Amino acid sequence: MNTQPGTQHPSAVVPDRLFDDAEAETRWRARFHAPRISVPDWAIDAPDANLYVSNASGVWEVYAWNRATGEHRRVTDRPNGTMMATPSPDGESIWWFNDTDGDEFGSWVREPFAGGAAAERAVPDVHDGYPAGLEIGTDVITIGVSTDDGSRLFAHKAGKTELFYSHEDDAGIASMSRDESLLALSHSEHGDSRHPALRVVNTADFAAVADKWDGEGKGLSALSFSPVLGDQRLLVLHERRGREELMIWDITADTETEIELELPGEVSADWYPEADALLVAQFHQGRSSLYRYELESGKLSSLDTSPGRIGGAGVRPDGTVEYSWSSAAQPTAVRVRTSDGTDSVLLEPPGERAPESAPITDAFVEGVGGQIHALVSRPVDAPEGPLPTVFSLHGGPHAADEDRFSAYRATWLDAGFAVVEVNYRGSTGYGSAWRDAIEGRPGLTELEDVASVHDWAVQSGLADPKKCVVNGASWGGYLSLLALGTQPGRWAAGVAGVPVADYVAAYEDEMEQLRSFDRALFGGSPESVPAVYDECSPITYVDAVAVPVLVLAGDNDPRCPIRQIENYLDRLAKRDLPYEFYRYDAGHGSLVIAETIKQTSIEVHFALRALGLR
């Protein structure tokens, strides 16, 4: 939705520079400009045909890499960037999702892998919508689409397209078997999209072959079918023991094999090419590790990656593992590990490497709901004593802050702030109970944990209690606005990027997938549980906000739509309170590096001014 504001809100100040020191100014910008790439994805029947996304042009776009010739080709070139793409199994074509200015609403288009022809709509008789899964086979193509009317799943085969599934609740295409005879669907027909069930259908007539649901509060996620032709085993994530673990579901034999790895934290996985082993990714206390698990013997072997964050990983046909790695101090690199244990950089993007930053340390704080894990960073040259501190709250809410490289975090550190990242209740990686503890009282529950960590930061001597800033984007932006209204004595300023600000209006305008999520999280719609939405909405507490506020929002955002943000700002405008608004022409964030730099400079400059440091 693109609207024009009824009230002219004070525009955010865009500084010419953040730092007087030329070297510092160059350094923070260089971290954003440094070219980065994702782990390559390859065609299963043509592994020399690879795709990745990169910001090398200044905008995140899709690139093709022909490993046989060494040629790299930029595929997409759109003003607001492109992130979703996949190769066809034969490597002959590239499918990428074509939306409008970052609004996430559109269709899949297709073009030749080698280039030379314009992209065209891949399956013309599938209507536009929000993406809900895609599986491309040689004979069968399945596409999921979500709209305000719910979820619709289509199949295209033998030159014809048919609608084979439709439901008002959230559903999507998860995985197709290697022989294209079976298709796994994720659905929430039981009314809870946060804990989905699975259905496997045959692709002959799309009749159900098998259904699996573990009951209330226990989701199932299909990761992928075996890559071996004729092997009908499906790799699944379950949470039967209170955390996400692995299971292999043999559809033909109708058997389950739960894999108990005895690793702390939570795991995900993918198959090795021969389907005799799994590549396991473990997440524990903000860091990731990779393992090989032998299915026959049950042997688990560490791949001995350095402490940090694994941003993606896959196994090549020859058994080599390619993965993305970074830490808070070290910038991202795409690496390759051979079967003999040799580990090296796979691809060096063009240009200068990003300058390093400060490492993080861990804090474990007791809260009302249990022990809270926070990641803490101090500027490398910080003086002794309490520091101005930004509490940076992650989005999601089902996500987590990690020991990963962040040009954004590094900019706050360069500006003299300590940075505290809180993996509050609602975060993933700490078990199902921790993730689901926010049900029925979202926002306020997370902020109890933020308050506990804030108390610790002040009492430990890290944070200056008069110079604490709360900030975040998306769900983190929502929490920031809610914190300003419900915890006014803790904060000296607040920064909210693409936030939920008026939850009832947000529900009315947001994409249906998020409405389904909200119904599961809040216990119903605003009509059925109005008191919960009222209690958990930032606009309810806008009159209690007592410090400067900065809000950033995208015109085309389907997740945190602009109208509900305007409602909050209109209420704020009636107060004698300093606030600023930055509005940009994109969706839920930006894939344009110059725009990201601009927004970061606005945020840090605002905080410095609000705290009297500039």
Side-chain angles (χ1 to χ4, degrees):
M1 178 178 292
N2 192 332
T3 66
Q4 293 301 317
T7 302
Q8 293 300 312
H9 301 290
S11 296
V13 176
V14 183
D16 293 331
R17 56 191 300 131
L18 273 179
F19 303 104
D20 294 331
D21 179 72
E23 183 178 346
E25 181 69 16
T26 299
R27 183 174 61 247
W28 85 266
R29 293 177 179 271
R31 292 195 188 98
F32 286 98
H33 282 300
R36 287 162 283 164
I37 57 175
S38 67
V39 176
D41 182 24
W42 52 86
I44 192 168
D45 293 324
D48 282 338
N50 287 231
L51 297 181
Y52 59 86
V53 294
S54 174
N55 67 333
S57 70
V59 181
W60 284 97
E61 296 286 7
V62 178
Y63 288 75
W65 174 27
N66 186 326
R67 292 205 190 207
T69 65
E71 178 189 4
H72 295 258
R73 178 179 73 86
R74 179 173 168 179
V75 177
T76 55
D77 184 6
R78 304 196 304 150
N80 284 304
T82 315
M83 289 293 283
M84 296 180 63
T86 188
S88 61
D90 59 9
E92 292 297 316
S93 63
I94 297 168
W95 291 53
W96 53 271
F97 193 76
N98 184 28
D99 67 352
T100 303
D101 294 329
D103 66 358
E104 303 179 48
F105 192 92
S107 63
W108 289 97
V109 298
R110 176 176 57 191
E111 64 178 86
F113 182 87
E120 58 183 11
R121 197 180 186 103
V123 183
D125 39 3
V126 173
H127 61 78
D128 285 357
Y130 300 107
L134 170 72
E135 285 291 306
I136 307 169
T138 302
D139 299 315
V140 181
I141 295 166
T142 58
I143 301 175
V145 178
S146 175
T147 67
D148 286 348
D149 297 323
S151 303
R152 308 182 84 197
L153 310 182
F154 296 86
H156 181 80
K157 57 180 181 175
K160 297 181 180 179
T161 303
E162 64 174 300
L163 172 68
F164 68 87
Y165 180 92
S166 178
H167 202 277
E168 62 182 5
D169 283 314
D170 194 33
I173 290 164
S175 183
M176 186 160 63
S177 63
R178 186 75 167 92
D179 63 6
E180 303 177 28
S181 66
L182 297 177
L183 184 70
L185 316 178
S186 174
H187 70 83
S188 53
E189 293 172 7
H190 54 287
D192 182 0
S193 67
R194 295 177 58 248
H195 302 95
L198 293 178
R199 176 171 299 144
V200 175
V201 301
N202 70 61
T203 58
D205 59 6
F206 296 96
V209 174
D211 277 278
K212 193 173 294 295
W213 181 46
D214 280 349
E216 185 177 349
K218 297 178 180 179
L220 292 167
S221 300
L223 297 176
S224 59
F225 273 101
S226 162
V228 174
L229 192 66
D231 186 351
Q232 309 289 41
R233 292 178 298 167
L234 179 64
L235 185 60
V236 175
L237 274 181
H238 71 89
E239 46 186 312
R240 295 168 179 175
R241 287 180 289 273
R243 60 178 185 150
E244 290 190 333
E245 298 180 277
L246 299 169
M247 174 181 73
I248 293 178
W249 182 15
D250 189 324
I251 309 301
T252 302
D254 191 24
T255 60
E256 296 178 358
T257 303
E258 293 184 9
I259 299 173
E260 298 186 44
L261 299 176
E262 298 183 356
L263 293 171
E266 296 186 333
V267 297
S268 186
D270 202 356
W271 301 89
Y272 270 77
E274 301 300 321
D276 57 346
L278 300 177
L279 177 65
V280 177
Q282 173 208 22
F283 175 85
H284 179 55
Q285 295 180 349
R287 294 167 183 85
S288 322
S289 303
L290 290 178
Y291 297 84
R292 176 185 168 103
Y293 177 76
E294 307 286 345
L295 289 172
E296 184 173 347
S297 67
K299 179 182 178 182
L300 183 69
S301 304
S302 173
L303 298 192
D304 297 328
T305 54
S306 300
R309 187 235 188 183
I310 307 295
V315 188
R316 295 282 297 169
D318 63 359
T320 60
V321 175
E322 297 178 354
Y323 67 99
S324 173
W325 176 90
S326 75
S327 70
Q330 297 289 329
T332 304
V334 175
R335 306 188 64 86
V336 56
R337 185 181 182 87
T338 61
S339 55
D340 66 3
T342 302
D343 196 300
S344 59
V345 174
L346 173 67
L347 285 175
E348 289 277 11
E352 294 294 324
R353 188 170 182 264
E356 297 179 3
S357 186
I360 64 167
T361 59
D362 300 286
F364 297 94
V365 179
E366 292 303 321
V368 295
Q371 189 180 71
I372 308 154
H373 179 214
L375 309 178
V376 180
S377 308
R378 284 178 59 95
V380 293
D381 56 353
E384 294 296 326
L387 297 171
T389 302
V390 57
F391 288 74
S392 188
L393 309 182
H394 68 73
H398 301 330
D401 281 314
E402 303 171 89
D403 184 0
R404 66 177 181 88
F405 192 77
S406 167
Y408 180 77
R409 182 202 302 119
T411 306
W412 286 99
L413 293 172
D414 285 356
F417 289 85
V419 178
V420 178
E421 298 166 293
V422 183
N423 283 336
Y424 48 73
R425 277 172 289 171
S427 301
T428 50
Y430 300 87
S432 303
W434 188 261
R435 181 200 63 206
D436 293 344
I438 66 174
E439 290 180 356
R441 192 171 175 265
L444 298 174
T445 302
E446 298 94 300
L447 290 179
E448 289 178 344
D449 295 342
V450 174
S452 294
V453 175
H454 177 270
D455 287 343
W456 166 85
V458 172
Q459 292 164 8
S460 69
L462 170 72
D464 182 338
K466 296 182 179 179
K467 295 180 180 178
C468 289
V469 178
V470 63
N471 117 310
S474 190
W475 194 264
Y478 158 65
L479 292 178
S480 296
L481 290 184
L482 193 60
L484 293 175
T486 61
Q487 303 171 338
R490 293 186 180 275
W491 311 111
V495 176
V498 290
V500 176
D502 175 354
Y503 226 121
V504 173
Y507 182 90
E508 292 171 354
D509 295 350
E510 69 190 5
M511 57 203 301
E512 173 55 33
Q513 289 151 311
L514 288 182
R515 287 188 197 139
S516 180
F517 180 90
D518 284 343
R519 289 192 295 271
L521 185 61
F522 281 76
S525 68
E527 291 76 19
S528 61
V529 288
V532 181
Y533 282 84
D534 183 63
E535 182 186 21
C536 299
S537 181
I539 201 169
T540 301
Y541 310 97
V542 66
D543 290 338
V545 177
V547 296
V549 186
L550 169 66
V551 177
L552 305 91
D555 271 326
N556 307 313
D557 190 345
R559 298 175 180 269
C560 299
I562 193 70
R563 180 175 70 93
Q564 52 94 24
I565 293 173
E566 292 172 345
N567 291 347
Y568 184 91
L569 292 171
D570 288 347
R571 288 280 301 277
L572 206 58
K574 298 176 181 178
R575 306 275 316 286
D576 184 18
L577 186 77
Y579 75 99
E580 296 177 11
F581 181 41
Y582 178 71
R583 184 181 185 130
Y584 59 94
D585 185 19
H588 196 63
S590 177
L591 301 178
V592 180
I593 302 306
E595 179 63 31
T596 303
I597 291 173
K598 182 179 181 181
Q599 291 184 25
T600 301
S601 69
I602 288 171
E603 293 184 25
V604 177
H605 186 63
F606 172 83
L608 289 170
R609 288 184 290 115
L611 269 57
L613 302 175
R614 180 63 58 87

